[in-house]
Amino acid sequence: MQLRKTRPVPGGRTGFDRRTLKRLLTSWQLYLCLLPAVIYLFLFNYMPMYGLVIAFKNYKPGLGIEGSEWVGLKHFQQFVTSVQFPVLMRNTFLLSVYSLIFGFPMPVLLALMLNEVRNLPFKKIVQNATYIPYFISTVVMVAMIINFTSVDIGGINTFIQWFGGTPVDFMGKSEYFRTLYVVSGIWQSMGWNSIIYFAALSGVDPQLYEAAQIDGASRLQRIWHVSLPGIAPTMIMLFILNCGSLLNVGYEKVYLMQNSLNMDVSEVISTYVYKVGLLGAKFSYTSAIGLFNTLINFALLLAVNFISRRVSDVGLF
C-alpha cells in the first residue's frame, strides 16, 4: 500500500513553529543576556548532581566515582539505625519549627504596622533600623550573643543584677540554646523578610481601604479584612517554601554557638555532616545524609503544597 504525503495544515505546527523561530530571532539580545545565568545554573546546580552517586558507593578519592565500590543503600541504613539519628532529627526539627512558628509571623506584623504609619521620616528610620541587622555576618552575630549573655560583662546579666537577680550562664545551659538561636534569628532577619510584604501591601487597591473606612471599619478591621487578604497569597507561598526547607538548618551559626555544655540540643544534621564528612572524610556517608535530608524536605514541600491547594487554592504548582 502506498502512503500519500499530506500537506501541512496552514497555521499548524510543522516540526518547528515559525512564530517561535521568529520570536527568537527578533529577541535574540534578551536570550543572549539570559545565557550566562543558564550556563551558571547548569554548571553549578545541575552538573554537581552527578556527585550524588557517591551516596550509593564506598567512595575513595584515589579510585574516583566510577572506580569506587557500589554499596547501594548501605549508608542510608547506617544513618537511620545510628545512635545519633533520633537526636539529630529532634534537634534539627525543633530548631526549624521554633524558627518557623515564631519567626514567620514577625515580618508580617512589622509590615502591617509600618504600613499604617503616616509619619514618613519615622517610618524610614524604623525600616532602616530593622534592615541593618540582616547584613551582620554570622561570626559577628554569634560574638554579639556571647558578649550580651556573658556572666561577667553581659548586658542581660547586668540588667538582671539591677533587679536583685542572680547572673545566668545562658551559653552554658542547654535549655537556653534554642531560645537564643531563634530570638537572634528573628531580630536579624525580621526587617529584611518584611520587604516582600511591603511590596505586596503596595499592590492592594487603595479604594478598598476607602470603602472600608466609609463603612465605619476601624483600623484593626481594615487590617484584618483588607490588608491581610491582600497579602495572603504571598504569605502562603512563602510558608510553603519555608516548609520545603524545614530541615535545612545552616551549620555556621549553630556550630559557632556550640560548646560542650549545650551539645545535647545544638548538634543538628548540618553540623554533624560538617564534622563527619569534611573533618572525618566520610564523603559517601555524609552525601547519603544530605540526600536523605533533601528527600524529606521535598516530601514536606509536596505535602504542604497539596494541603494549601485543597484549603486555599494557592500553591506553587
Side-chain angles (χ1 to χ4, degrees), residues 281-312:
K282 295 183 179 180
F283 303 111
S284 295
Y285 180 58
T286 50
S287 296
I289 297 175
L291 183 56
F292 173 82
N293 193 26
T294 302
L295 293 176
I296 297 296
N297 284 329
F298 183 65
L300 289 172
L301 177 66
L302 293 178
V304 176
N305 184 76
F306 176 77
I307 296 172
S308 176
R309 277 290 186 187
R310 286 296 185 91
V311 175
S312 63

Side-chain angles (χ1 to χ4, degrees), residues 21-75:
L21 179 60
K22 184 178 180 180
R23 191 181 303 113
L24 289 174
L25 293 176
T26 55
S27 305
W28 65 270
Q29 298 94 336
L30 298 177
Y31 290 102
L32 186 62
C33 294
L34 187 64
L35 186 61
V38 174
I39 295 175
Y40 175 84
L41 288 175
F42 178 75
L43 291 177
F44 296 99
N45 291 79
Y46 287 95
M47 286 190 64
M49 287 184 181
Y50 175 71
L52 292 176
V53 178
I54 67 175
F56 305 94
K57 290 191 171 188
N58 187 16
Y59 174 69
K60 296 181 179 179
L63 299 176
I65 296 178
E66 296 295 335
S68 299
E69 178 188 2
W70 184 272
V71 295
L73 300 177
K74 173 185 175 182
H75 300 300

Side-chain angles (χ1 to χ4, degrees), residues 73-131:
L73 300 177
K74 173 185 175 182
H75 300 300
F76 295 91
Q77 183 180 3
Q78 180 183 352
F79 175 62
V80 175
T81 57
S82 65
V83 179
Q84 295 89 349
F85 178 75
V87 178
L88 295 174
M89 292 298 294
R90 184 186 72 246
N91 293 340
T92 306
F93 184 77
L94 288 178
L95 270 185
S96 299
V97 169
Y98 289 159
S99 299
L100 182 63
I101 292 176
F102 297 104
F104 184 79
M106 297 306 295
V108 180
L109 294 175
L110 178 63
L112 290 173
M113 289 189 295
L114 289 182
N115 188 57
E116 298 297 321
V117 175
R118 297 295 175 260
N119 190 334
L120 292 181
F122 175 76
K123 184 177 181 179
K124 291 181 179 179
I125 291 173
V126 174
Q127 286 179 324
N128 290 328
T130 54
Y131 293 165

Side-chain angles (χ1 to χ4, degrees), residues 179-191:
T179 302
L180 292 174
Y181 180 89
V182 173
V183 172
S184 60
I186 293 173
W187 175 75
Q188 187 174 17
S189 61
M190 177 177 61

